[in-house]
Amino acid sequence: MKIKYKDILYQDIAYVKGIGPEKAKILNEELQIFTIFDLLNYFPFRYEDRSIIHSIESINYTIEYAQVKGIITNIQTDTFGNKEVLIAQLKDATGKIDLVFFNGIKWLLKYLKIGKSYIAYGKVNQFRDTYNIQHPEIDEATEEILQFKTGLCAVYNTTERLKKSKWKIDSETIRKWIYNIYQTYPQLQIPENLSTEIIEKNKLISRQDAYKFIHLPENKDQILKAQQRLKFEELFFAQLDIARQHKKMKLSKGYVFESVGELFNEFYHKYLPFELTNAQKRVIREIRNDTKTGRQMNRLLQGDVGSGKTIVALFSALFAIDNGYQVAMMAPTEILAQQHFQTISKFLQPLPINVKLLTGSTSQKDRKIIHEQLISGELHFLIGTHALIEDTVQFKKLGLVIIDEQHRFGVAQRAKIQLKGDVPPHVLVMTATPIPRTLAMTIYGDLDVSILDELPPNRKPVITAHRYYSKRLDVLRFVKEQVDTGRQAYFVFPLIQESEKMDLEDLERGYEDLKKFFPSPQYKLVKVHGKMSNEEKDAAMQAFYSGKAQIMVATTVIEVGVDVPNASIMVIENANRFGLSQLHQLRGRVGRGSEKSYCILLTNNLSEEAKVRIDTLVRTSNGFEISEVDLKLRGPGELAGTRQSGMLKFKIADLTTDYPILKAAREAAIELLEKDEKLEHPEHWPIREYILQNEKEKPLWIKIA
Ligand code: ADP
Ligand code: MG
């Protein structure tokens, strides 16, 4: 009977040579591996080069791991302290070496036979002027073992439970099973899931070869090609999902903002206190064009700190309000929501626009008024935290949602907005920190993108310097000089949740210390941190905004949004404890006015990684560049926050390094959808079949559209 490839791939792993029902059970439980194909989809994370068999004579301190082959000439056991050891002497044509074992001695005494040939691999250890190998992997040097053991060997992750089980399932065990699969089923076939055109255009190898090479490569070239192919495939299907989502979003019906109305014109001509940058004008035009088409806008506005995103948001809001729609604006924190509220109500003050703030600390009474005015349509513009869309808030005619987001608002949350009402509101997402290209294509791949790539004029770059604590007094004197010329200064202290109490104590101590250096009544200091009541925070912020206080001592609560142009110095305490993007955000709080601005990073001795962060910040103020370095340091999951991490979990692709592959995969996905959206052409059937097979567990945001 001829076995079909499908039957083999989906066979229970219990039937694989060397596994059996008991081991199958713990593989199910530990690694969710049930079938042969599951096991083949368990990719190695690195390779060991075992192609060399060292001659014993050649072993010296330069060789870290050695592989030797020879005949065992002597076996003896000994005790070191109370530990038993077994020493087997292995001899090849060039010399002799001791293999030293501390574990499994009973088994080894049975397995090892004097006069037989063995192959051993392990760490070289120097003992006086001789060398030995400590607890090496050892196998009888049969033809089959030699074939399996030498060459490039894949290394797999395992779990504690697997390793501690009575079978001691380690990387080698897994490799052996996979080897056995390919030995038992030489006719094994992995169905292709890309079209010939895509394969050829991107110079990929077949899926069939890729699976073989990733596990059992004959040379390094095969590893590279296999990785490339499998990464491409993984990214391609992710991008295909995202591109489809994008396409569907672009087709959703949207409100038509017919005209540029009176409020817009009045504000633009009479009250706008500065000239817009060309980038701002361009983006406002992009938004205008989106909102008049009858299709829903889903736009991402990327712009570095200080590039002037708020005013763009405000003009977009005016489009909506002018056309009789309401606007909701959401910020990631309460402080930022308050800040937006203050900025925006100040700008709009001369206009007949009703703007209100709704946050966790809004009183029941005010909340009630807000709810009523939203339903009646009296309230035009509601600003709040992200809780706004979760809330039971009902609008009369919500036309635009603005999300100021700081990486905390993912596709899933946007999908929720999509569900509000028959016609969804337009959506403008603003990101406070630029996002590395790979992340943008993944997390925001479903959005159209606008970029503010120009800072308002007269901005002088912030002068950034790193100083050790030994120079703290000089730094303080410098700050004093600046403050004495009328400037204001921030002192920022780290606050990490895990060590919150100690951090707050640090801040309090720092605050008291600074008060001595900047004595009252000549100087006024305020402090702001998350543990203060809203009234206290407000009062402190207000004192600083108004210029009554010259110095603000704060935690990262001021990271986003806070906008005091006269504040031109920032001292960041223990700067090594902040993340890179966070430092960049913080620094964005200064350099907002026309004065020369300074950011001073204070630290003690730096670790290698902290040094990269600090050096990067000193070297550049380009947010995109900084975000790329940050991605390399921290990895995509951390960078994007846990909410989106599901989308960033790839089996083999790595967003920190695979930008070129991602780009190619994205282009292929978009091109495919343009040519044959429904994947009807026979050439595209393999792609369609693969998608249908993988439909099962799709996240919410894909199912929605
Ligand atoms: P961000 O993009 O970081 O949110 P903001 O919107 O807070 O930046 O703008 C930073 C500062 O620059 C604000 O004080 C804002 O009023 C000011 N600003 C924005 N656009 C311009 C412009 N075209 N010319 C001068 N100042 C501007
Ligand atoms: Mg902002």
Side-chain angles (χ1 to χ4, degrees):
M1 193 185 73
K2 199 164 171 261
I3 312 173
K4 281 192 287 188
Y5 69 80
K6 277 200 174 150
D7 298 338
I8 299 172
L9 285 183
Y10 297 102
Q11 213 174 71
D12 191 327
I13 36 158
Y15 300 111
V16 170
K17 184 178 159 204
I19 299 186
E22 278 183 284
K23 283 179 238 172
K25 186 160 172 279
I26 81 166
L27 277 177
N28 298 166
E29 288 167 9
E30 284 295 287
L31 301 176
Q32 287 73 52
I33 290 173
F34 295 88
T35 64
I36 285 186
F37 201 30
D38 289 339
L39 186 56
L40 294 181
N41 274 302
Y42 194 69
F43 298 140
F45 68 98
R46 67 180 178 92
Y47 296 85
E48 270 171 6
D49 188 353
R50 303 251 199 115
S51 49
I52 296 170
I53 295 179
H54 294 94
S55 65
I56 290 174
E57 170 189 66
S58 73
I59 289 173
N60 61 32
Y61 63 91
T62 63
I63 296 169
E64 201 181 348
Y65 285 88
Q67 178 160 255
V68 289
K69 187 177 145 241
I71 288 167
I72 291 203
T73 51
N74 186 30
I75 299 172
Q76 67 186 76
T77 54
D78 209 336
T79 44
F80 267 121
N82 55 3
K83 231 176 142 54
E84 211 185 356
V85 293
L86 182 148
I87 300 168
Q89 191 180 55
L90 192 84
K91 176 177 174 292
D92 72 3
T94 69
K96 289 178 187 170
I97 194 164
D98 281 345
L99 310 176
V100 184
F101 300 89
F102 298 99
N103 301 314
I105 291 174
K106 237 164 87 188
W107 179 82
L108 284 162
L109 280 171
K110 265 191 251 159
Y111 182 70
L112 300 179
K113 299 270 178 329
I114 291 177
K116 263 195 179 171
S117 177
Y118 293 86
I119 180 162
Y121 175 84
K123 196 164 177 139
V124 175
N125 183 46
Q126 187 170 10
F127 182 69
R128 307 227 170 89
D129 52 358
T130 65
Y131 295 92
N132 59 40
I133 300 180
Q134 298 212 341
H135 37 85
E137 261 177 55
I138 186 159
D139 293 274
E140 221 185 302
T142 60
E143 245 341 278
E144 201 204 339
I145 290 282
L146 285 179
Q147 199 200 346
F148 172 66
K149 286 276 174 175
T150 56
L152 286 165
C153 297
V155 183
Y156 300 86
N157 273 315
T158 50
T159 65
E160 277 307 293
R161 193 177 151 210
L162 288 172
K163 273 185 265 191
K164 294 218 166 108
S165 68
K166 66 176 165 189
W167 308 282
K168 302 205 181 352
I169 298 168
D170 59 9
S171 170
E172 272 300 281
T173 323
I174 292 176
R175 198 167 72 85
K176 180 78 193 175
W177 292 335
I178 292 175
Y179 178 82
N180 288 345
I181 291 172
Y182 277 97
Q183 290 290 309
T184 317
Y185 307 109
Q187 76 280 37
L188 184 75
Q189 275 185 50
I190 313 285
E192 186 50 72
N193 60 6
L194 296 175
S195 66
T196 317
E197 194 190 338
I198 292 178
I199 290 176
E200 281 172 3
K201 189 166 171 197
N202 292 282
K203 303 199 171 61
L204 301 171
I205 59 172
S206 70
R207 199 160 180 242
Q208 168 83 0
D209 286 346
Y211 272 81
K212 178 91 190 271
F213 295 168
I214 201 82
H215 294 295
L216 303 163
E218 281 164 17
N219 54 50
K220 288 190 176 146
D221 189 50
Q222 287 186 346
I223 299 176
L224 282 179
K225 288 196 167 120
Q227 286 172 334
Q228 194 134 33
R229 151 77 211 210
L230 294 168
K231 285 173 172 195
F232 183 95
E233 166 184 325
E234 189 170 36
L235 293 168
F236 172 79
F237 283 101
Q239 285 298 319
L240 199 57
D241 268 343
I242 292 166
R244 286 176 133 179
Q245 174 72 3
H246 187 196
K247 238 181 144 151
K248 276 180 196 152
M249 294 256 249
K250 281 198 91 90
L251 292 178
S252 332
K253 214 161 143 15
Y255 294 121
V256 182
F257 296 170
E258 296 270 352
S259 55
V260 176
E262 249 171 64
L263 294 167
F264 184 103
N265 283 322
E266 195 179 343
F267 181 72
Y268 183 76
H269 294 294
K270 276 210 217 146
Y271 304 115
L272 183 64
F274 40 69
E275 176 75 14
L276 293 177
T277 64
N278 286 326
Q280 285 170 323
K281 285 183 191 160
R282 188 188 66 235
V283 173
I284 291 170
R285 227 173 6 248
E286 282 165 354
I287 293 168
R288 169 74 201 126
N289 288 338
D290 276 1
T291 51
K292 69 179 179 196
T293 55
R295 301 272 170 227
Q296 184 207 15
M297 171 175 80
N298 275 285
R299 191 164 277 282
L300 172 69
L301 172 55
Q302 279 207 67
D304 215 335
V305 201
S307 58
K309 293 183 288 289
T310 316
I311 208 76
V312 172
L314 190 125
F315 275 113
S316 324
L318 292 177
F319 285 140
I321 298 167
D322 262 332
N323 286 281
Y325 292 91
Q326 292 165 303
V327 179
M329 180 168 186
M330 301 187 289
T333 66
E334 219 175 294
I335 291 207
L336 185 53
Q338 274 167 21
Q339 168 81 39
H340 275 318
F341 174 70
Q342 268 158 12
T343 314
I344 284 171
S345 30
K346 205 163 104 199
F347 273 127
L348 295 184
Q349 202 238 323
L351 297 174
I353 295 179
N354 183 359
V355 191
K356 286 210 158 63
L357 177 69
L358 179 64
T359 67
S361 45
T362 307
S363 72
Q364 278 307 321
K365 194 173 125 244
D366 290 343
R367 198 172 279 268
K368 192 159 164 277
I369 297 173
I370 288 173
H371 284 190
E372 281 167 10
Q373 291 192 345
L374 279 175
I375 291 184
S376 72
E378 273 167 273
L379 183 52
H380 304 112
F381 197 157
L382 181 63
I383 298 173
T385 56
H386 286 168
L388 264 194
I389 54 150
E390 316 275 344
D391 214 318
T392 48
V393 178
Q394 293 285 324
F395 290 80
K396 183 177 182 215
K397 219 176 165 192
L398 179 62
L400 170 68
V401 175
I402 300 165
I403 304 165
D404 191 2
E405 85 136 328
Q406 176 72 356
H407 294 329
R408 284 173 219 180
F409 203 81
V411 181
Q413 282 82 2
R414 286 202 299 281
K416 251 184 211 160
I417 296 173
Q418 225 60 20
L419 294 175
K420 290 216 153 199
D422 294 338
V423 178
H426 296 296
V427 178
L428 179 67
V429 180
M430 305 194 288
T431 66
T433 5
I435 307 156
R437 298 163 296 183
T438 49
L439 292 194
M441 283 183 187
T442 315
I443 309 176
Y444 299 110
D446 57 329
L447 302 178
D448 293 313
V449 179
S450 289
I451 295 181
L452 283 179
D453 48 7
E454 185 186 350
L455 292 180
N458 306 326
R459 287 282 164 76
K460 299 203 181 79
V462 179
I463 298 164
T464 305
H466 169 224
R467 292 287 181 272
Y468 287 106
Y469 270 108
S470 52
K471 291 273 173 356
R472 184 157 203 267
L473 204 56
D474 292 344
V475 171
L476 291 183
R477 285 197 195 106
F478 176 73
V479 175
K480 197 176 240 170
E481 265 169 41
Q482 292 290 312
V483 169
D484 288 344
T485 66
R487 305 279 85 76
Q488 288 166 283
Y490 299 100
F491 283 82
V492 186
F493 284 78
L495 190 136
I496 315 284
Q497 226 132 45
E498 293 83 65
S499 50
E500 188 176 353
K501 195 160 163 276
M502 263 169 56
D503 284 346
L504 280 175
E505 281 167 17
D506 273 1
L507 180 142
E508 294 292 349
R509 207 173 313 122
Y511 177 69
E512 295 305 325
D513 250 20
L514 287 168
K515 264 173 137 172
K516 283 180 205 141
F517 195 85
F518 296 97
S520 156
Q522 195 185 346
Y523 301 97
K524 185 170 161 52
L525 284 74
V526 289
K527 63 180 172 194
V528 180
H529 58 76
K531 280 278 131 69
M532 291 162 55
S533 74
N534 282 319
E535 290 79 54
E536 287 173 312
K537 260 188 280 186
D538 275 352
M541 290 278 197
Q542 223 40 66
F544 195 66
Y545 287 142
S546 67
K548 255 192 267 159
Q550 300 99 325
I551 291 168
M552 174 180 274
V553 178
T555 59
T556 46
V557 292
I558 61 155
E559 180 184 335
V560 275
V562 173
D563 185 17
V564 180
N566 188 47
S568 61
I569 315 146
M570 173 172 286
V571 178
I572 304 183
E573 304 264 0
N574 285 312
N576 50 305
R577 292 186 58 203
F578 293 84
L580 190 46
S581 296
Q582 208 175 18
L583 288 169
H584 179 60
Q585 273 302 311
L586 281 168
R587 177 170 58 181
R589 299 308 108 211
V590 291
R592 305 198 140 228
S594 50
E595 298 302 326
K596 216 178 207 174
S597 297
Y598 303 89
C599 176
I600 302 161
L601 309 165
L602 277 174
T603 76
N604 286 316
N605 289 339
L606 293 173
S607 69
E608 280 297 311
E609 205 225 274
K611 193 162 168 9
V612 176
R613 270 181 274 143
I614 302 286
D615 288 350
T616 304
L617 210 73
V618 170
R619 172 172 54 85
T620 178
S621 59
N622 180 321
F624 285 94
E625 206 178 319
I626 288 172
S627 75
E628 297 282 349
V629 177
D630 204 19
L631 176 66
K632 293 225 163 68
L633 290 177
R634 289 202 293 160
E638 276 302 302
L639 204 57
T642 47
R643 283 201 184 182
Q644 290 98 357
S645 61
M647 299 189 61
L648 300 171
K649 259 192 208 124
F650 291 105
K651 251 178 19 201
I652 185 162
D654 178 354
L655 292 183
T656 56
T657 51
D658 291 336
Y659 175 69
I661 302 179
L662 175 61
K663 188 162 171 279
R666 181 174 174 80
E667 278 162 16
I670 290 169
E671 196 183 309
L672 175 66
L673 285 190
E674 264 158 27
K675 259 198 249 169
D676 181 16
E677 191 178 352
K678 297 215 163 84
L679 307 177
E680 283 167 337
H681 193 283
E683 158 87 346
H684 302 141
W685 288 355
I687 299 174
R688 190 171 63 181
E689 190 163 329
Y690 181 81
I691 294 173
L692 289 175
Q693 231 174 33
N694 288 279
E695 267 308 293
K696 311 167 275 186
E697 273 304 300
K698 280 285 166 65
L700 167 86
W701 63 272
I702 291 174
K703 285 193 196 138
I704 271 173

